[in-house]
Amino acid sequence: MHTPLERNIEFEQKGNDILTIGEVLIDMISDEYVKGDGSTTYRNYFGGSPANIAMNAKKLGIHSIVASAVGNDGMGRFLINHLNEEGIESGLVQKVDTSTSMVVVTKSKGTPIPIFYRGADYQIEYTQKLEKALLDSKIVHFSCWPISMEPARQTINKVLEVASENGILISFDPNYHPLIWQKGENGIEYVKSIIRKVDIIKPSEDDAERLFGKDIPENQLQKFFGLGAKLVIMTLGKDGAIVSNGKEIIRLDSLATEVVDTTGAGDAFWSGFYTALIKGYTIREALQLGSASSAFKLKYTGAVANLPKLENLKELYGL
Amino acid sequence: MHTPLERNIEFEQKGNDILTIGEVLIDMISDEYVKGDGSTTYRNYFGGSPANIAMNAKKLGIHSIVASAVGNDGMGRFLINHLNEEGIESGLVQKVDTSTSMVVVTKSKGTPIPIFYRGADYQIEYTQKLEKALLDSKIVHFSCWPISMEPARQTINKVLEVASENGILISFDPNYHPLIWQKGENGIEYVKSIIRKVDIIKPSEDDAERLFGKDIPENQLQKFFGLGAKLVIMTLGKDGAIVSNGKEIIRLDSLATEVVDTTGAGDAFWSGFYTALIKGYTIREALQLGSASSAFKLKYTGAVANLPKLENLKELYGL
């Protein structure tokens, strides 16, 4: 691709804007700090980055669908109800014979270490219905979750093939984490092998470090291009982001004025960025709107904030 | 075997009385009834029938050890701490690279349907340390959990072989449930194939129905003997139990006077029964002491009640 950063991306006319594929799951998060015997209370929350992106994008003003798999159980029903309440099409959430995936997070004084209970999420199958939705979408997005286990990996492989053949923009979140990967496989090598097959990646500094070891952002960018990346948006937390299409490099300052909760800030970035691309903004403008979306989310607690329409967001941040 | 019910069982002198092998896990149980959006609060409890039996048996006055596997995570540490607090040897609880198993139970107006998150529990390996503990025990006990998945199934196969060769009494809880079984395998046939390899089984009426379909208790007993069972203790809830060694049949009345919580009543039965066998009581007496232990537990909330020493329990129930 190597689309210049000052150019917009042309999309064919489609019924849907963005299709996100991957984990929809329960975040089981402790209410309080653990005491005495280690027993504590938890609460079940809706979770999963692809669904959060779809919900954000809808709030910002574009059409979104999420494809995933949940268990045929109470937690799966809770997740589907939540999507329905948010007005997100849930017809591509497959109901399978495995428990709904869950991540348990126990708050503690140090960094909490999540415990992953993966079940239904990686059972997503490539169906005719999924293909139909894919062909009717402008952008397809997925993260490391579905590529880390079979049969979801095969589903994503088929998605990559069909999306490439049909000029659908492919975006990948290389959020590699050893704890989600299937045992006995080198996940890092597999993630690296996916990068040349997609149009856009948005690694965080931590993601890059997990894949390549510690280095300065400019060098990490080059490593992604060495793997065949086309557009790399590397987020640097409070320092904004560094972006390159392999020819130009730009730095984006963070627009955050107030940081209440960093959960979901990356998903908010993706959502603002995608919404702006769909609405015809240049890549550079879309990146700024991604930053604005992320800055807005940072002011609120929870994974999904009540984002305004993109036009209002643009005004709010003087863009 | 076909030990007459009026006889006691002779045990060799050993360092330990009972070794239970299998699931030690988190019961994540909702505090309240689900409301509105389906979000609710949960609390993590210590769970797993083999560990509950070991804890009960210790309270009743014999030596017990539990062998299991937990994840190298916060929930695994919670479980091990709990065992230590209860004074149960935890050196045979293996720490593995998979999340600690969990069962999520959401209370509702109907019967709550548990969601099973199996991880570490079935990773238990047959180690030299486990063999040493087995050879130094008089009784070994396991349930359907470890035989439902590999590699735990191989571990139990090896335990069965070594226990048989060394005259260790083998007890099996045929608590078959399709939701714990590995996908694509006929768990019922596998459970049936284990019955001839053990000395004692204690199915509930529901267990028998899952294995054979609905029938009257006397007929269900015969089906177990058809599979090579030696001593069958079939519990009938409030109606007590029906027991046979294939020649004699006896009925045991329930000794329960007050039923507050049925959780763990079966484990309490096992514990009273085993403790009495170890202490030299006849099988018939041990069955009555199992009933007494179960009746005691039924008066209290929670999986493990603060059982008295067996001698006090005997007196309490006038046995």
Side-chain angles (χ1 to χ4, degrees), chain B residues 118-308:
Chain B
R118 296 195 67 187
D121 82 87
Y122 62 85
Q123 300 299 331
I124 184 168
E125 302 273 1
Y126 191 84
T127 59
Q128 280 200 316
K129 205 169 164 185
L130 175 56
E131 181 166 283
K132 193 163 171 286
L134 175 63
L135 291 172
D136 197 32
S137 296
K138 297 173 184 168
I139 302 175
V140 62
H141 168 104
F142 63 97
S143 77
C144 277
W145 284 64
I147 65 169
S148 64
M149 309 269 270
E150 294 289 4
R153 178 181 291 180
Q154 282 313 314
T155 300
I156 294 294
N157 283 342
K158 188 74 189 153
V159 164
L160 286 169
E161 190 189 312
V162 172
S164 290
E165 283 166 6
N166 289 277
I168 298 160
L169 188 79
I170 307 171
S171 234
F172 169 50
D173 186 347
N175 58 347
Y176 170 71
H177 197 298
L179 287 175
I180 64 165
W181 218 265
Q182 62 185 4
K183 306 288 166 216
E185 189 190 45
N186 188 337
I188 292 174
E189 290 312 309
Y190 193 83
V191 171
K192 287 179 177 174
S193 77
I194 294 293
I195 287 169
R196 66 180 172 77
K197 300 180 183 175
V198 306
D199 299 307
I200 303 175
I201 58 171
K202 186 183 74 62
S204 67
E205 261 190 301
D206 285 348
D207 294 334
E209 191 177 329
R210 285 194 198 100
L211 294 173
F212 304 121
K214 224 178 165 62
D215 206 340
I216 57 166
E218 288 76 2
N219 291 348
Q220 303 288 43
L221 276 185
Q222 290 319 310
K223 292 172 199 165
F224 283 113
F225 287 110
L227 294 169
K230 299 179 190 79
L231 178 64
V232 182
I233 305 165
M234 189 167 152
T235 57
L236 309 171
K238 63 175 175 38
D239 296 326
I242 178 167
V243 184
S244 178
N245 58 4
K247 294 185 173 162
E248 311 158 71
I249 295 191
I250 56 172
R251 278 196 170 262
L252 279 176
D253 286 334
S254 167
L255 298 174
T257 48
E258 189 190 349
V259 178
V260 172
D261 179 9
T262 59
T263 317
D267 294 336
F269 185 101
W270 279 120
S271 316
F273 176 67
Y274 290 144
T275 304
L277 287 184
I278 291 290
K279 289 184 177 278
Y281 290 97
T282 67
I283 293 173
R284 185 190 289 270
E285 288 165 335
L287 289 165
Q288 285 181 314
L289 286 160
S291 287
S293 174
S294 177
F296 186 94
K297 151 56 220 150
L298 285 166
K299 295 189 291 176
Y300 301 93
T301 301
V304 175
N306 200 13
L307 287 162

Side-chain angles (χ1 to χ4, degrees), chain A residues 204-241:
Chain A
S204 66
E205 259 190 300
D206 285 348
D207 295 333
E209 191 176 328
R210 284 194 199 101
L211 294 172
F212 304 122
K214 223 177 167 61
D215 207 338
I216 58 165
E218 287 76 3
N219 291 349
Q220 303 288 43
L221 276 186
Q222 290 318 310
K223 291 172 198 165
F224 284 114
F225 287 111
L227 294 169
K230 300 179 189 79
L231 178 64
V232 183
I233 305 165
M234 189 167 154
T235 56
L236 309 171
K238 64 176 174 37
D239 296 325

Side-chain angles (χ1 to χ4, degrees), chain A residues 40 42 44 99-100 116-117, chain B residues 40 42-44 99-100 116-117:
Chain A
T40 183
Y42 292 81
N44 57 319
S99 303
T100 299
F116 294 94
Y117 292 95
Chain B
T40 184
Y42 293 82
R43 186 171 281 276
N44 57 318
S99 303
T100 298
F116 293 94
Y117 292 94

Side-chain angles (χ1 to χ4, degrees), chain A:
Chain A
M1 275 214 340
H2 293 291
T3 310
L5 300 180
E6 303 303 341
R7 280 260 300 278
N8 66 338
I9 296 174
E10 299 281 343
F11 294 104
E12 273 181 60
Q13 197 52 43
K14 299 284 185 86
N16 180 51
D17 296 315
I18 173 160
L19 168 66
T20 63
I21 307 181
E23 71 283 9
V24 166
L25 48 76
I26 297 289
D27 283 325
M28 186 70 95
I29 299 175
S30 70
D31 281 339
E32 43 179 88
Y33 292 87
V34 182
K35 299 177 292 210
D37 68 347
S39 161
T40 183
T41 57
Y42 292 81
R43 185 170 281 275
N44 57 319
Y45 295 92
F46 183 96
S49 160
N52 290 340
I53 292 172
M55 289 191 277
N56 284 329
K58 183 166 190 295
K59 288 180 205 288
L60 289 162
I62 60 170
H63 297 288
S64 58
I65 304 179
V66 58
S68 186
V70 299
N72 205 351
D73 53 38
M75 292 297 179
R77 286 187 288 279
F78 166 78
L79 294 171
I80 288 173
N81 285 345
H82 186 89
L83 285 173
N84 293 341
E85 280 162 16
E86 292 280 328
I88 302 289
E89 161 67 31
S90 65
L92 290 180
V93 180
Q94 300 169 13
K95 282 163 218 79
V96 302
D97 198 19
T98 317
S99 303
T100 299
S101 297
M102 180 178 293
V103 181
V104 177
V105 179
T106 305
K107 289 180 184 166
S108 68
K109 278 171 191 156
T111 307
I113 299 166
I115 310 180
F116 294 94
Y117 292 95
R118 295 195 66 186
D121 82 86
Y122 63 85
Q123 301 299 332
I124 185 169
E125 301 273 1
Y126 190 85
T127 60
Q128 281 201 316
K129 206 169 163 185
L130 175 55
E131 181 166 283
K132 193 162 171 286
L134 175 62
L135 292 172
D136 198 31
S137 297
K138 296 173 185 169
I139 303 175
V140 62
H141 168 104
F142 62 97
S143 77
C144 278
W145 284 63
I147 65 169
S148 65
M149 308 269 269
E150 294 290 4
R153 179 181 290 179
Q154 283 312 316
T155 300
I156 294 294
N157 282 342
K158 188 73 187 155
V159 164
L160 286 171
E161 190 188 311
V162 172
S164 290
E165 283 167 5
N166 291 276
I168 297 159
L169 188 78
I170 307 172
S171 236
F172 169 50
D173 186 347
N175 58 348
Y176 169 73
H177 197 298
L179 287 175
I180 65 165
W181 218 266
Q182 62 185 3
K183 306 288 168 217
E185 188 189 45
N186 187 337
I188 291 175
E189 289 311 308
Y190 193 82
V191 171
K192 288 179 178 175
S193 77
I194 294 292
I195 286 169
R196 64 179 175 78
K197 301 181 182 173
V198 306
D199 298 308
I200 303 174
I201 58 171
K202 186 183 75 61
S204 66
E205 259 190 300
D206 285 348
D207 295 333
E209 191 176 328
R210 284 194 199 101
L211 294 172
F212 304 122
K214 223 177 167 61
D215 207 338
I216 58 165
E218 287 76 3
N219 291 349
Q220 303 288 43
L221 276 186
Q222 290 318 310
K223 291 172 198 165
F224 284 114
F225 287 111
L227 294 169
K230 300 179 189 79
L231 178 64
V232 183
I233 305 165
M234 189 167 154
T235 56
L236 309 171
K238 64 176 174 37
D239 296 325
I242 179 169
V243 183
S244 178
N245 59 4
K247 293 184 174 161
E248 311 156 73
I249 295 191
I250 56 173
R251 276 195 172 262
L252 279 175
D253 286 336
S254 165
L255 299 174
T257 48
E258 189 191 349
V259 178
V260 172
D261 179 9
T262 58
T263 317
D267 294 337
F269 186 102
W270 279 119
S271 316
F273 176 67
Y274 290 143
T275 304
L277 287 183
I278 290 291
K279 289 185 176 280
Y281 291 97
T282 66
I283 294 174
R284 185 190 290 269
E285 287 165 337
L287 289 166
Q288 285 181 315
L289 286 158
S291 288
S293 174
S294 176
F296 185 95
K297 149 59 219 149
L298 286 166
K299 295 189 291 178
Y300 301 93
T301 301
V304 175
N306 200 13
L307 287 163
K309 292 286 171 221
L310 189 77
E311 295 71 24
N312 299 336
L313 186 77
K314 187 166 177 280
E315 206 172 320
L316 207 59
Y317 285 88
L319 300 172

